[in-house]
Amino acid sequence: MKDGKLYLLAEFSVKPEVLEETKNIFSTLLPIVLKEPGCEAMYTTSIEGAPNKLVFFEIFSSEEAHRFHMAQPYTQKLGADLEGKLLEPMKITKLNSF
């Protein structure tokens, strides 16, 4: 976080039978999140050869902007929306710029 920004990778291993439903949940949420103050980017991707492994690359202008994001009702609701859809708990990796 050398430049004050917060860079994150969020990884979701989704049960294959609910993959499209889960992608739709994220697709609906993405435009809302991108309008948040301090959300500079959010890319939704999957891993080649492992299509049920969804990886988000996120950039927030600060830790405070990320806290704002996490406090939003739609972000809070995401946990309930993903209930029973994941093969394992979500993994968040904090990245450093250089």
Side-chain angles (χ1 to χ4, degrees):
M1 201 162 104
K2 202 178 217 181
D3 58 7
K5 296 181 183 188
L6 180 62
Y7 300 89
L8 300 171
L9 281 183
E11 300 177 55
F12 301 86
S13 292
V14 180
K15 293 178 180 177
E17 65 271 18
V18 293
L19 181 59
E20 290 309 312
E21 179 184 351
T22 304
K23 284 180 175 180
N24 287 335
I25 290 168
F26 287 126
S27 293
T28 301
L29 192 57
L30 185 63
I32 299 166
V33 173
L34 288 171
K35 291 179 184 174
E36 289 177 0
C39 180
E40 295 189 5
M42 186 172 289
Y43 297 96
T44 53
T45 66
S46 61
I47 295 178
E48 190 166 334
N52 66 313
K53 182 81 169 208
L54 306 181
V55 180
F56 290 26
F57 177 63
E58 308 174 6
I59 304 172
F60 290 91
S61 61
S62 65
E63 292 269 1
E64 183 179 311
H66 186 253
R67 280 193 297 275
F68 174 85
H69 165 68
M70 296 305 293
Q72 298 311 298
Y74 47 83
T75 305
Q76 299 282 319
K77 183 179 176 292
L78 183 61
D81 290 344
L82 296 178
E83 184 86 26
K85 292 179 177 62
L86 302 182
L87 293 168
E88 58 191 46
M90 169 184 63
K91 179 183 174 190
I92 301 287
T93 303
K94 192 174 183 179
L95 306 171
N96 294 316
S97 64
F98 63 91

